[in-house]
Amino acid sequence: MRARFSFLALLLLAGALLPLGGCGFRPLYGESGAAGGATTVSRLSEIEVVVAENTIGRELKYNLLDSLSADGNTPVSPLYRLILQPRGYTQNVAIQQDAAVTRANFVLVVPFTLNSTATGKPIFKSTARARSSYNRVESEFANLSASQDAQKRVAEAVAADIKLQVSVFFDRQASQDGAIVQ
Protein backbone atom coordinates (compact mmCIF):
# COMPACT_ATOMS: atom_id res chain seq x y z
CA MET A 1 0.00 0.00 0.00
CA ARG A 2 2.79 2.39 0.92
CA ALA A 3 4.72 1.61 -2.28
CA ARG A 4 1.59 2.31 -4.32
CA PHE A 5 1.12 5.68 -2.57
CA SER A 6 4.77 6.62 -3.26
CA PHE A 7 4.35 5.66 -6.92
CA LEU A 8 1.18 7.77 -7.22
CA ALA A 9 2.87 10.73 -5.52
CA LEU A 10 5.82 10.47 -7.92
CA LEU A 11 3.48 10.21 -10.90
CA LEU A 12 1.53 13.26 -9.72
CA LEU A 13 4.75 15.25 -9.25
CA ALA A 14 5.97 14.34 -12.75
CA GLY A 15 2.61 15.35 -14.18
CA ALA A 16 2.77 18.70 -12.41
CA LEU A 17 6.29 19.43 -13.72
CA LEU A 18 5.57 18.37 -17.32
CA PRO A 19 3.99 21.69 -18.41
CA LEU A 20 7.15 23.60 -17.41
CA GLY A 21 8.99 22.16 -20.40
CA GLY A 22 6.38 23.50 -22.81
CA CYS A 23 6.19 27.02 -21.40
CA GLY A 24 9.79 27.88 -22.27
CA PHE A 25 11.06 27.81 -18.69
CA ARG A 26 14.82 27.64 -18.52
CA PRO A 27 17.26 28.66 -15.80
CA LEU A 28 18.72 32.16 -16.08
CA TYR A 29 22.26 30.94 -15.42
CA GLY A 30 21.89 27.69 -17.39
CA GLU A 31 24.59 25.87 -19.32
CA SER A 32 23.24 26.41 -22.84
CA GLY A 33 22.27 29.74 -24.39
CA ALA A 34 19.11 30.49 -26.34
CA ALA A 35 19.21 29.24 -29.92
CA GLY A 36 22.64 27.74 -29.37
CA GLY A 37 24.17 31.16 -28.61
CA ALA A 38 26.42 32.19 -25.78
CA THR A 39 25.24 31.65 -22.25
CA THR A 40 24.37 34.44 -19.88
CA VAL A 41 27.21 33.28 -17.64
CA SER A 42 29.77 33.58 -20.44
CA ARG A 43 28.50 37.07 -21.36
CA LEU A 44 28.72 38.19 -17.72
CA SER A 45 32.37 37.17 -17.62
CA GLU A 46 33.07 39.54 -20.55
CA ILE A 47 32.14 42.70 -18.61
CA GLU A 48 34.65 45.33 -17.52
CA VAL A 49 33.48 47.34 -14.48
CA VAL A 50 34.27 51.07 -14.43
CA VAL A 51 33.61 53.09 -11.27
CA ALA A 52 35.17 55.95 -9.30
CA GLU A 53 38.13 54.89 -7.15
CA ASN A 54 36.72 55.57 -3.71
CA THR A 55 35.68 53.27 -0.87
CA ILE A 56 32.15 52.53 -2.05
CA GLY A 57 33.32 52.34 -5.69
CA ARG A 58 35.93 49.70 -4.84
CA GLU A 59 33.39 47.71 -2.80
CA LEU A 60 30.99 47.72 -5.76
CA LYS A 61 33.65 46.89 -8.32
CA TYR A 62 35.15 43.94 -6.47
CA ASN A 63 31.75 42.54 -5.44
CA LEU A 64 30.69 42.69 -9.09
CA LEU A 65 33.92 41.18 -10.42
CA ASP A 66 33.63 38.33 -7.91
CA SER A 67 30.08 37.55 -9.01
CA LEU A 68 30.46 38.18 -12.77
CA SER A 69 33.48 36.01 -13.48
CA ALA A 70 34.74 32.73 -12.11
CA ASP A 71 38.19 34.10 -11.29
CA GLY A 72 37.08 37.55 -10.07
CA ASN A 73 39.33 39.38 -12.53
CA THR A 74 38.64 41.95 -15.22
CA PRO A 75 38.56 40.28 -18.67
CA VAL A 76 41.58 40.88 -20.91
CA SER A 77 39.50 41.98 -23.91
CA PRO A 78 36.00 42.72 -22.62
CA LEU A 79 32.97 42.80 -24.90
CA TYR A 80 31.07 45.11 -22.54
CA ARG A 81 31.84 48.01 -20.24
CA LEU A 82 29.64 48.54 -17.18
CA ILE A 83 29.85 52.16 -16.01
CA LEU A 84 28.64 52.81 -12.47
CA GLN A 85 27.87 56.20 -10.93
CA PRO A 86 27.23 55.52 -7.22
CA ARG A 87 25.72 58.11 -4.90
CA GLY A 88 25.50 57.29 -1.21
CA TYR A 89 24.00 59.24 1.65
CA THR A 90 23.04 58.80 5.29
CA GLN A 91 19.56 59.43 6.67
CA ASN A 92 18.99 59.97 10.38
CA VAL A 93 15.83 58.03 11.22
CA ALA A 94 15.63 57.90 15.03
CA ILE A 95 16.21 61.27 16.65
CA GLN A 96 15.65 61.76 20.38
CA GLN A 97 14.32 64.94 21.98
CA ASP A 98 17.85 66.06 22.85
CA ALA A 99 18.72 65.84 19.09
CA ALA A 100 20.81 62.68 19.56
CA VAL A 101 20.57 60.31 16.62
CA THR A 102 20.17 56.66 17.65
CA ARG A 103 19.51 55.02 14.29
CA ALA A 104 20.59 55.83 10.76
CA ASN A 105 20.17 54.45 7.25
CA PHE A 106 22.86 54.32 4.61
CA VAL A 107 21.29 54.55 1.14
CA LEU A 108 23.14 53.77 -2.07
CA VAL A 109 21.71 54.66 -5.49
CA VAL A 110 23.71 53.49 -8.51
CA PRO A 111 22.68 54.47 -12.02
CA PHE A 112 24.58 52.25 -14.43
CA THR A 113 25.09 51.87 -18.16
CA LEU A 114 26.20 48.78 -20.06
CA ASN A 115 28.10 49.78 -23.20
CA SER A 116 29.33 47.63 -26.05
CA THR A 117 33.10 48.02 -26.36
CA ALA A 118 32.85 47.40 -30.12
CA THR A 119 30.59 50.40 -30.76
CA GLY A 120 30.95 52.38 -27.54
CA LYS A 121 27.19 52.84 -27.51
CA PRO A 122 24.98 52.09 -24.50
CA ILE A 123 22.90 48.93 -24.85
CA PHE A 124 21.28 48.89 -21.39
CA LYS A 125 20.67 51.50 -18.70
CA SER A 126 19.13 51.09 -15.29
CA THR A 127 19.45 51.97 -11.61
CA ALA A 128 20.10 49.78 -8.59
CA ARG A 129 19.49 50.89 -5.03
CA ALA A 130 19.70 49.52 -1.53
CA ARG A 131 19.42 50.70 2.05
CA SER A 132 20.85 49.40 5.31
CA SER A 133 20.15 50.53 8.86
CA TYR A 134 22.53 50.70 11.78
CA ASN A 135 22.45 51.85 15.39
CA ARG A 136 24.30 54.93 16.57
CA VAL A 137 25.69 54.99 20.08
CA GLU A 138 27.92 57.25 22.20
CA SER A 139 31.16 55.66 20.96
CA GLU A 140 32.41 57.30 17.77
CA PHE A 141 34.47 54.20 16.93
CA ALA A 142 31.36 52.00 17.16
CA ASN A 143 29.44 54.45 14.95
CA LEU A 144 32.20 54.47 12.33
CA SER A 145 32.42 50.67 12.37
CA ALA A 146 28.63 50.29 12.08
CA SER A 147 28.51 52.81 9.23
CA GLN A 148 31.27 51.02 7.30
CA ASP A 149 29.54 47.67 7.82
CA ALA A 150 26.28 49.13 6.49
CA GLN A 151 28.13 50.45 3.43
CA LYS A 152 29.59 46.99 2.75
CA ARG A 153 26.18 45.33 3.07
CA VAL A 154 24.61 47.88 0.73
CA ALA A 155 27.41 47.47 -1.83
CA GLU A 156 26.88 43.69 -1.81
CA ALA A 157 23.12 44.10 -2.30
CA VAL A 158 23.53 46.63 -5.12
CA ALA A 159 26.14 44.45 -6.87
CA ALA A 160 23.77 41.46 -6.71
CA ASP A 161 20.94 43.61 -8.11
CA ILE A 162 23.10 44.91 -10.97
CA LYS A 163 24.19 41.37 -11.84
CA LEU A 164 20.56 40.23 -11.88
CA GLN A 165 19.40 43.13 -14.05
CA VAL A 166 22.22 42.64 -16.57
CA SER A 167 21.61 38.87 -16.60
CA VAL A 168 17.92 39.36 -17.34
CA PHE A 169 18.84 41.82 -20.11
CA PHE A 170 21.19 39.29 -21.75
CA ASP A 171 18.62 36.51 -21.38
CA ARG A 172 15.83 38.60 -22.95
CA GLN A 173 18.08 39.70 -25.81
CA ALA A 174 19.00 36.09 -26.50
CA SER A 175 15.34 35.04 -26.42
CA GLN A 176 14.18 37.85 -28.71
CA ASP A 177 16.98 37.92 -31.25
CA GLY A 178 18.46 34.48 -30.98
CA ALA A 179 21.74 36.27 -30.33
CA ILE A 180 23.00 38.86 -27.88
CA VAL A 181 23.71 42.44 -28.95
CA GLN A 182 27.40 43.31 -29.15
Side-chain angles (χ1 to χ4, degrees):
M1 178 74 173
R2 185 174 179 146
R4 185 172 183 212
F5 179 74
S6 295
F7 177 72
L8 287 175
L10 184 62
L11 190 62
L12 183 62
L13 179 64
L17 294 177
L18 190 61
L20 286 179
C23 74
F25 173 80
R26 59 183 166 50
L28 182 60
Y29 303 110
E31 290 297 317
S32 62
T39 65
T40 299
V41 174
S42 68
R43 291 295 178 183
L44 289 174
S45 68
E46 294 297 328
I47 296 175
E48 173 190 14
V49 179
V50 178
V51 66
E53 282 295 323
N54 55 29
T55 304
I56 203 72
R58 282 188 299 275
E59 285 287 334
L60 281 168
K61 181 175 183 172
Y62 295 121
N63 280 319
L64 275 166
L65 286 174
D66 285 344
S67 68
L68 293 177
S69 65
D71 61 3
N73 293 319
T74 300
V76 177
S77 54
L79 297 176
Y80 307 99
R81 183 169 292 118
L82 184 64
I83 302 169
L84 310 175
Q85 299 168 330
R87 293 186 310 256
Y89 59 93
T90 301
Q91 297 174 319
N92 296 328
V93 292
I95 303 171
Q96 295 179 339
Q97 288 181 346
D98 65 353
V101 177
T102 58
R103 190 138 181 93
N105 285 340
F106 180 74
V107 180
L108 183 61
V109 179
V110 184
F112 63 92
T113 305
L114 182 67
N115 293 340
S116 167
T117 55
T119 64
K121 294 183 180 178
I123 57 174
F124 179 66
K125 290 183 180 185
S126 188
T127 302
R129 55 184 60 83
R131 163 188 330 254
S132 182
S133 297
Y134 60 96
N135 290 329
R136 295 193 43 97
V137 294
E138 303 246 348
S139 167
E140 206 50 45
F141 175 76
N143 291 337
L144 181 62
S145 179
S147 173
Q148 289 173 346
D149 186 53
Q151 289 178 20
K152 285 181 182 180
R153 288 192 311 264
V154 167
E156 289 172 5
V158 166
D161 186 30
I162 290 171
K163 177 186 177 186
L164 180 63
Q165 289 187 47
V166 171
S167 297
V168 169
F169 167 75
F170 283 148
D171 188 62
R172 286 185 179 157
Q173 285 298 115
S175 296
Q176 290 172 359
D177 303 337
I180 296 177
V181 175
Q182 289 193 20

